[in-house]
Amino acid sequence: MSVAPFKHKMKEIRIETDVFEERFSEYDIISEFNGIILTLVAVEDNVRFTSYVTASYAEVLRKQMEAIA
């Protein structure tokens, strides 16, 4: 008899962009749809936090992250 491996599912929480920016200093910007709407993604304590932004706002955030780095 075989035991299936334990698959722990990650919980996902969608939050407002301003709250997301205040809470997370490091995050990824990904395209999950067609490129017009992008997703900010941060993972904390096995929870995936997301927020949707426009491509133009995502570009502003990328430039801010580059300036800080």
Side-chain angles (χ1 to χ4, degrees):
M1 182 156 88
S2 172
V3 176
F6 177 71
K7 293 183 180 178
H8 188 76
K9 289 190 175 185
M10 185 176 285
K11 184 177 180 181
E12 183 170 331
I13 298 176
R14 191 160 296 122
I15 57 179
E16 295 292 325
T17 303
D18 56 339
V19 174
F20 187 97
E21 289 181 72
E22 288 176 17
R23 184 167 179 175
F24 302 105
S25 60
E26 294 184 22
Y27 52 87
D28 293 319
I29 301 173
I30 61 172
S31 176
E32 290 185 314
F33 303 109
N34 59 9
I36 296 171
I37 302 296
L38 300 176
T39 308
L40 307 179
V41 179
V43 177
E44 181 180 85
D45 297 328
N46 207 34
V47 177
R48 182 178 191 248
F49 292 90
T50 61
S51 184
Y52 295 128
V53 295
T54 62
S56 59
Y57 189 65
E59 188 61 32
V60 170
L61 293 175
R62 279 191 183 114
K63 289 180 180 178
Q64 286 178 352
M65 288 192 302
E66 289 173 3
I68 293 172

Coordinates of all heavy atoms in Angstrom, one line a residue:
M1 N 0.8 -1.2 0.0 CA 0.0 0.0 0.0 C 0.9 1.2 0.0 O 1.8 1.3 0.7 CB -0.9 0.0 1.2 CG -1.8 1.2 1.2 SD -3.3 0.9 2.2 CE -2.8 1.4 3.8
S2 N 0.6 2.2 -0.8 CA 1.3 3.4 -1.0 C 0.6 4.6 -0.3 O -0.6 4.7 -0.4 CB 1.5 3.7 -2.5 OG 2.1 4.9 -2.7
V3 N 1.4 5.5 0.3 CA 0.8 6.6 0.9 C 1.2 7.8 0.0 O 2.3 8.0 -0.3 CB 1.4 6.8 2.3 CG1 0.9 8.1 2.9 CG2 1.1 5.7 3.2
A4 N 0.1 8.6 -0.4 CA 0.4 9.8 -1.2 C 1.1 10.8 -0.4 O 0.9 11.0 0.8 CB -1.0 10.3 -1.7
P5 N 2.1 11.5 -1.1 CA 2.8 12.5 -0.4 C 1.9 13.7 0.1 O 0.9 14.0 -0.6 CB 3.9 13.0 -1.4 CG 3.4 12.5 -2.7 CD 2.5 11.4 -2.5
F6 N 2.3 14.3 1.2 CA 1.5 15.4 1.7 C 1.7 16.6 0.8 O 2.9 17.0 0.6 CB 2.0 15.7 3.1 CG 1.3 16.9 3.7 CD1 -0.1 16.8 4.1 CD2 2.0 18.1 3.9 CE1 -0.7 17.9 4.7 CE2 1.3 19.1 4.5 CZ 0.0 19.1 4.9
K7 N 0.6 17.2 0.3 CA 0.7 18.4 -0.5 C 0.1 19.5 0.3 O -1.1 19.6 0.4 CB 0.0 18.2 -1.8 CG 0.7 17.1 -2.7 CD 0.0 17.0 -4.0 CE 0.6 16.0 -4.9 NZ 0.0 15.8 -6.2
H8 N 1.0 20.4 0.7 CA 0.5 21.5 1.5 C 0.1 22.7 0.5 O 0.9 23.1 -0.2 CB 1.6 22.0 2.5 CG 1.1 23.1 3.4 ND1 0.3 22.8 4.5 CD2 1.3 24.4 3.4 CE1 0.0 23.9 5.1 NE2 0.6 24.9 4.5
K9 N -1.1 23.1 0.6 CA -1.6 24.1 -0.3 C -1.3 25.5 0.3 O -1.4 25.7 1.5 CB -3.1 24.0 -0.6 CG -3.4 22.9 -1.5 CD -4.9 23.0 -1.9 CE -5.2 21.9 -2.8 NZ -6.6 22.0 -3.3
M10 N -0.8 26.4 -0.6 CA -0.5 27.8 -0.1 C -1.8 28.6 -0.2 O -2.5 28.6 -1.2 CB 0.6 28.4 -1.0 CG 1.0 29.7 -0.5 SD 2.4 30.4 -1.5 CE 3.7 29.4 -0.9
K11 N -2.1 29.3 0.9 CA -3.2 30.2 0.9 C -2.9 31.4 0.2 O -1.8 31.9 0.2 CB -3.5 30.5 2.4 CG -4.7 31.3 2.6 CD -4.9 31.5 4.1 CE -6.1 32.3 4.4 NZ -6.3 32.5 5.9
E12 N -3.9 32.0 -0.5 CA -3.7 33.2 -1.3 C -4.7 34.3 -0.7 O -5.9 34.0 -0.6 CB -3.9 33.0 -2.7 CG -3.7 34.3 -3.5 CD -3.7 34.1 -5.0 OE1 -3.3 33.0 -5.5 OE2 -4.0 35.0 -5.8
I13 N -4.1 35.5 -0.5 CA -4.9 36.6 0.0 C -4.7 37.8 -0.9 O -3.6 38.2 -1.2 CB -4.6 37.0 1.4 CG1 -4.8 35.8 2.4 CG2 -5.3 38.2 1.9 CD1 -4.4 36.0 3.8
R14 N -5.8 38.4 -1.4 CA -5.7 39.5 -2.3 C -5.9 40.8 -1.4 O -6.9 40.8 -0.7 CB -6.7 39.4 -3.4 CG -6.6 40.5 -4.5 CD -7.2 40.1 -5.8 NE -6.6 38.9 -6.3 CZ -7.3 37.8 -6.6 NH1 -8.6 37.7 -6.3 NH2 -6.7 36.7 -7.1
I15 N -5.0 41.7 -1.5 CA -5.2 43.0 -0.7 C -5.0 44.2 -1.6 O -4.6 44.1 -2.7 CB -4.1 43.0 0.5 CG1 -2.7 42.9 -0.1 CG2 -4.4 41.9 1.5 CD1 -1.6 43.0 1.0
E16 N -5.5 45.3 -1.1 CA -5.4 46.6 -1.8 C -4.0 47.0 -2.0 O -3.1 46.7 -1.2 CB -6.1 47.7 -1.0 CG -7.6 47.5 -0.8 CD -8.3 47.6 -2.2 OE1 -7.9 48.4 -3.0 OE2 -9.3 46.9 -2.3
T17 N -3.7 47.6 -3.1 CA -2.3 48.0 -3.5 C -1.6 48.9 -2.5 O -0.5 48.6 -2.2 CB -2.3 48.7 -4.9 OG1 -3.0 47.8 -5.8 CG2 -0.9 49.0 -5.4
D18 N -2.3 49.8 -1.9 CA -1.6 50.7 -1.0 C -1.3 49.9 0.3 O -0.2 50.1 0.9 CB -2.5 51.9 -0.6 CG -3.9 51.6 -0.1 OD1 -4.4 50.4 -0.4 OD2 -4.5 52.4 0.5
V19 N -2.1 49.0 0.7 CA -1.8 48.2 1.9 C -0.6 47.3 1.5 O 0.3 47.1 2.3 CB -3.0 47.3 2.3 CG1 -2.7 46.4 3.4 CG2 -4.1 48.3 2.7
F20 N -0.6 46.7 0.3 CA 0.5 45.8 -0.1 C 1.8 46.6 -0.1 O 2.8 46.0 0.4 CB 0.1 45.3 -1.6 CG 1.1 44.3 -2.1 CD1 0.8 43.0 -2.0 CD2 2.3 44.6 -2.6 CE1 1.6 42.0 -2.4 CE2 3.2 43.7 -3.1 CZ 2.9 42.3 -3.0
E21 N 1.8 47.8 -0.7 CA 3.1 48.5 -0.7 C 3.6 48.9 0.7 O 4.8 48.9 0.9 CB 2.9 49.8 -1.5 CG 2.7 49.5 -3.0 CD 2.5 50.8 -3.8 OE1 3.5 51.6 -3.9 OE2 1.4 51.1 -4.2
E22 N 2.7 49.2 1.6 CA 3.1 49.5 3.0 C 3.7 48.3 3.7 O 4.6 48.4 4.5 CB 2.0 50.1 3.8 CG 1.5 51.4 3.4 CD 0.3 51.9 4.1 OE1 0.0 51.3 5.2 OE2 -0.3 52.9 3.7
R23 N 3.1 47.1 3.4 CA 3.4 45.9 4.2 C 4.7 45.2 3.6 O 5.5 44.7 4.4 CB 2.3 44.9 4.1 CG 2.5 43.7 4.9 CD 1.3 42.9 5.1 NE 1.6 41.7 5.9 CZ 0.7 40.9 6.3 NH1 -0.6 41.1 6.0 NH2 1.0 39.8 6.9
F24 N 4.9 45.3 2.3 CA 6.0 44.5 1.7 C 7.0 45.4 1.0 O 6.7 46.2 0.2 CB 5.5 43.5 0.7 CG 4.5 42.5 1.3 CD1 3.2 42.6 1.1 CD2 5.0 41.5 2.2 CE1 2.3 41.7 1.6 CE2 4.1 40.6 2.7 CZ 2.7 40.7 2.5
S25 N 8.3 45.3 1.4 CA 9.3 46.0 0.7 C 9.9 45.2 -0.4 O 10.5 45.8 -1.4 CB 10.4 46.4 1.7 OG 11.0 45.3 2.3
E26 N 9.8 43.9 -0.4 CA 10.3 43.1 -1.5 C 9.2 42.2 -2.0 O 8.5 41.6 -1.3 CB 11.4 42.2 -1.0 CG 12.7 42.9 -0.5 CD 13.8 42.0 -0.1 OE1 13.8 40.8 -0.6 OE2 14.7 42.4 0.6
Y27 N 9.0 42.3 -3.3 CA 7.9 41.5 -4.0 C 8.3 41.4 -5.4 O 9.2 42.0 -6.0 CB 6.6 42.2 -3.8 CG 6.6 43.7 -4.2 CD1 6.4 44.1 -5.5 CD2 6.8 44.7 -3.3 CE1 6.4 45.4 -5.9 CE2 6.9 46.0 -3.6 CZ 6.6 46.4 -5.0 OH 6.6 47.7 -5.3
D28 N 7.5 40.5 -6.1 CA 7.7 40.3 -7.5 C 6.5 40.9 -8.3 O 5.4 41.0 -7.7 CB 7.7 38.8 -7.9 CG 9.0 38.1 -7.3 OD1 10.0 38.7 -7.4 OD2 8.9 37.0 -6.8
I29 N 6.8 41.3 -9.5 CA 5.7 41.8 -10.4 C 5.6 40.8 -11.5 O 6.6 40.6 -12.3 CB 6.0 43.2 -10.9 CG1 6.2 44.2 -9.8 CG2 4.9 43.7 -11.9 CD1 6.7 45.5 -10.2
I30 N 4.4 40.2 -11.7 CA 4.3 39.1 -12.7 C 3.1 39.4 -13.6 O 2.2 40.2 -13.2 CB 4.1 37.7 -12.1 CG1 2.9 37.6 -11.2 CG2 5.4 37.3 -11.3 CD1 2.6 36.2 -10.7
S31 N 3.0 38.9 -14.7 CA 1.9 39.0 -15.7 C 1.2 37.7 -15.7 O 1.7 36.7 -16.2 CB 2.4 39.4 -17.1 OG 1.3 39.4 -17.9
E32 N 0.0 37.7 -15.1 CA -0.8 36.4 -15.1 C -1.9 36.4 -16.2 O -2.4 35.4 -16.5 CB -1.5 36.3 -13.7 CG -0.6 35.9 -12.6 CD -1.3 35.7 -11.3 OE1 -2.2 36.5 -10.9 OE2 -0.9 34.7 -10.7
F33 N -2.2 37.6 -16.8 CA -3.2 37.6 -17.7 C -2.7 38.1 -19.1 O -1.9 37.4 -19.7 CB -4.3 38.6 -17.2 CG -4.9 38.2 -15.9 CD1 -4.6 38.9 -14.8 CD2 -5.6 37.0 -15.8 CE1 -5.1 38.5 -13.5 CE2 -6.1 36.6 -14.5 CZ -5.8 37.4 -13.4
N34 N -3.1 39.2 -19.6 CA -2.7 39.7 -20.9 C -1.6 40.8 -21.0 O -1.3 41.3 -22.0 CB -3.9 40.1 -21.7 CG -4.6 41.3 -21.0 OD1 -4.1 41.8 -20.1 ND2 -5.8 41.6 -21.5
G35 N -1.0 41.1 -19.8 CA 0.0 42.2 -19.8 C -0.5 43.5 -19.5 O 0.3 44.4 -19.1
I36 N -1.8 43.8 -19.6 CA -2.3 45.1 -19.2 C -2.5 45.2 -17.7 O -2.2 46.3 -17.1 CB -3.7 45.3 -19.9 CG1 -3.5 45.3 -21.4 CG2 -4.4 46.6 -19.4 CD1 -4.8 45.3 -22.2
I37 N -2.9 44.1 -17.1 CA -3.0 44.1 -15.6 C -1.9 43.2 -15.1 O -1.7 42.0 -15.6 CB -4.4 43.5 -15.2 CG1 -5.5 44.4 -15.7 CG2 -4.4 43.4 -13.7 CD1 -5.5 45.8 -15.2
L38 N -1.1 43.7 -14.2 CA 0.0 42.9 -13.6 C -0.3 42.6 -12.2 O -1.2 43.2 -11.5 CB 1.3 43.6 -13.7 CG 1.8 43.9 -15.2 CD1 3.0 44.7 -15.2 CD2 1.9 42.6 -16.0
T39 N 0.4 41.6 -11.6 CA 0.1 41.2 -10.2 C 1.4 41.4 -9.4 O 2.5 41.0 -9.8 CB -0.3 39.7 -10.2 OG1 -1.3 39.5 -11.1 CG2 -0.7 39.3 -8.8
L40 N 1.2 42.1 -8.3 CA 2.3 42.2 -7.3 C 2.1 40.9 -6.4 O 1.0 40.6 -5.9 CB 2.1 43.4 -6.4 CG 2.0 44.7 -7.1 CD1 1.8 45.9 -6.1 CD2 3.1 45.0 -8.0
V41 N 3.2 40.2 -6.1 CA 3.2 39.0 -5.4 C 4.3 39.0 -4.3 O 5.4 39.3 -4.6 CB 3.4 37.8 -6.3 CG1 3.4 36.5 -5.5 CG2 2.4 37.7 -7.4
A42 N 3.9 38.7 -3.1 CA 4.8 38.5 -2.0 C 4.4 37.3 -1.2 O 3.2 37.0 -1.0 CB 4.8 39.7 -1.1
V43 N 5.3 36.5 -0.7 CA 5.0 35.3 0.1 C 5.6 35.5 1.5 O 6.7 35.9 1.7 CB 5.6 34.1 -0.5 CG1 5.4 32.8 0.3 CG2 5.1 33.9 -1.9
E44 N 4.7 35.3 2.5 CA 5.0 35.4 3.9 C 4.3 34.3 4.7 O 3.1 34.2 4.6 CB 4.6 36.8 4.4 CG 5.0 37.0 5.8 CD 4.5 38.4 6.2 OE1 3.3 38.6 6.6 OE2 5.3 39.4 6.1
D45 N 5.1 33.5 5.4 CA 4.5 32.4 6.3 C 3.6 31.5 5.5 O 2.5 31.2 5.9 CB 3.8 33.0 7.5 CG 4.7 33.8 8.4 OD1 5.9 33.4 8.5 OD2 4.3 34.8 9.0
N46 N 4.0 31.1 4.3 CA 3.3 30.2 3.4 C 1.9 30.8 3.0 O 1.0 30.0 2.7 CB 3.1 28.8 4.1 CG 2.9 27.7 3.1 OD1 3.6 27.8 2.0 ND2 2.1 26.7 3.4
V47 N 1.9 32.1 2.9 CA 0.7 32.8 2.4 C 1.1 33.6 1.2 O 2.1 34.4 1.3 CB 0.0 33.6 3.5 CG1 -1.2 34.4 2.9 CG2 -0.4 32.8 4.6
R48 N 0.4 33.5 0.1 CA 0.8 34.3 -1.1 C -0.2 35.5 -1.1 O -1.4 35.4 -1.3 CB 0.5 33.4 -2.3 CG 0.9 34.1 -3.6 CD 0.6 33.1 -4.8 NE 1.2 33.6 -6.0 CZ 0.5 33.9 -7.1 NH1 -0.9 33.8 -7.0 NH2 1.0 34.4 -8.2
F49 N 0.4 36.7 -0.9 CA -0.3 37.9 -1.0 C -0.2 38.5 -2.4 O 0.9 38.6 -3.0 CB 0.3 39.0 0.0 CG 0.0 38.5 1.5 CD1 1.0 37.8 2.1 CD2 -1.1 38.9 2.1 CE1 0.8 37.4 3.4 CE2 -1.3 38.6 3.5 CZ -0.3 37.8 4.1
T50 N -1.4 39.0 -2.9 CA -1.4 39.5 -4.3 C -2.2 40.8 -4.3 O -3.0 41.1 -3.5 CB -2.0 38.5 -5.3 OG1 -3.4 38.3 -4.9 CG2 -1.2 37.2 -5.4
S51 N -1.8 41.6 -5.3 CA -2.5 42.8 -5.6 C -2.4 43.1 -7.1 O -1.3 42.9 -7.7 CB -2.0 44.0 -4.8 OG -2.8 45.2 -5.0
Y52 N -3.5 43.6 -7.7 CA -3.5 43.8 -9.1 C -3.2 45.3 -9.4 O -3.7 46.2 -8.7 CB -4.8 43.5 -9.8 CG -5.1 42.0 -9.7 CD1 -6.3 41.6 -9.2 CD2 -4.2 41.1 -10.2 CE1 -6.6 40.2 -9.2 CE2 -4.5 39.7 -10.2 CZ -5.7 39.3 -9.7 OH -6.0 38.0 -9.6
V53 N -2.3 45.6 -10.4 CA -2.0 46.9 -10.8 C -2.0 47.0 -12.3 O -1.8 46.0 -13.0 CB -0.6 47.4 -10.2 CG1 -0.7 47.5 -8.7 CG2 0.5 46.5 -10.7
T54 N -2.1 48.2 -12.8 CA -2.0 48.4 -14.3 C -0.5 48.3 -14.7 O 0.4 48.5 -13.8 CB -2.5 49.8 -14.7 OG1 -1.7 50.8 -14.1 CG2 -3.9 50.0 -14.4
A55 N -0.2 48.1 -15.9 CA 1.1 47.9 -16.4 C 1.9 49.2 -16.2 O 3.1 49.2 -15.9 CB 1.1 47.5 -17.9
S56 N 1.3 50.4 -16.4 CA 2.0 51.6 -16.3 C 2.4 51.9 -14.8 O 3.5 52.4 -14.5 CB 1.1 52.8 -16.8 OG -0.1 52.9 -16.1
Y57 N 1.5 51.5 -13.9 CA 1.9 51.7 -12.5 C 2.9 50.7 -12.1 O 3.8 51.0 -11.3 CB 0.6 51.5 -11.6 CG 0.9 51.9 -10.1 CD1 1.3 53.2 -9.8 CD2 0.9 50.9 -9.1 CE1 1.5 53.5 -8.5 CE2 1.2 51.3 -7.8 CZ 1.5 52.6 -7.5 OH 1.8 52.9 -6.2
A58 N 2.9 49.5 -12.6 CA 3.9 48.5 -12.4 C 5.3 49.0 -12.8 O 6.3 48.7 -12.2 CB 3.6 47.2 -13.0
E59 N 5.3 49.7 -13.9 CA 6.6 50.3 -14.4 C 7.1 51.3 -13.5 O 8.3 51.4 -13.2 CB 6.4 50.9 -15.8 CG 7.6 51.3 -16.5 CD 8.6 50.2 -16.7 OE1 8.2 49.0 -16.9 OE2 9.8 50.4 -16.6
V60 N 6.2 52.1 -12.9 CA 6.7 53.1 -11.9 C 7.3 52.4 -10.7 O 8.3 52.7 -10.1 CB 5.5 54.0 -11.4 CG1 5.8 54.8 -10.2 CG2 5.0 54.8 -12.6
L61 N 6.6 51.3 -10.2 CA 7.1 50.5 -9.1 C 8.5 49.9 -9.4 O 9.4 49.9 -8.6 CB 6.1 49.4 -8.7 CG 4.8 50.0 -8.1 CD1 3.8 48.8 -7.9 CD2 5.0 50.7 -6.8
R62 N 8.6 49.4 -10.6 CA 9.9 48.8 -11.0 C 11.0 49.8 -11.0 O 12.1 49.5 -10.5 CB 9.8 48.2 -12.4 CG 9.2 46.9 -12.5 CD 9.4 46.3 -13.9 NE 8.7 45.0 -14.0 CZ 7.7 44.7 -14.7 NH1 7.2 45.7 -15.5 NH2 7.1 43.6 -14.7
K63 N 10.8 51.0 -11.5 CA 11.8 52.1 -11.4 C 12.1 52.5 -10.0 O 13.3 52.7 -9.7 CB 11.3 53.3 -12.2 CG 11.3 53.0 -13.7 CD 10.8 54.2 -14.5 CE 10.8 53.9 -16.0 NZ 10.2 55.0 -16.8
Q64 N 11.1 52.5 -9.1 CA 11.4 52.8 -7.7 C 12.3 51.7 -7.1 O 13.2 52.0 -6.4 CB 10.1 52.9 -6.9 CG 9.3 54.1 -7.2 CD 8.0 54.2 -6.4 OE1 7.6 53.2 -5.8 NE2 7.3 55.3 -6.5
M65 N 12.0 50.4 -7.4 CA 12.8 49.3 -6.9 C 14.2 49.4 -7.4 O 15.2 49.1 -6.6 CB 12.2 48.0 -7.2 CG 10.9 47.7 -6.4 SD 10.3 46.0 -6.4 CE 10.0 45.7 -8.2
E66 N 14.4 49.7 -8.6 CA 15.7 49.9 -9.2 C 16.5 51.0 -8.6 O 17.7 50.9 -8.4 CB 15.7 50.1 -10.7 CG 15.2 48.8 -11.5 CD 15.0 49.1 -13.0 OE1 15.2 50.2 -13.4 OE2 14.6 48.2 -13.7
A67 N 15.8 52.1 -8.3 CA 16.5 53.3 -7.7 C 16.9 53.0 -6.3 O 18.0 53.5 -5.9 CB 15.5 54.5 -7.7
I68 N 16.2 52.2 -5.6 CA 16.5 51.8 -4.2 C 17.7 50.8 -4.2 O 18.6 50.9 -3.4 CB 15.3 51.2 -3.5 CG1 14.3 52.3 -3.3 CG2 15.7 50.6 -2.1 CD1 12.9 51.8 -2.7
A69 N 17.7 49.9 -5.2 CA 18.7 48.9 -5.2 C 20.1 49.4 -5.6 O 20.6 50.3 -5.6 CB 18.3 47.8 -6.2

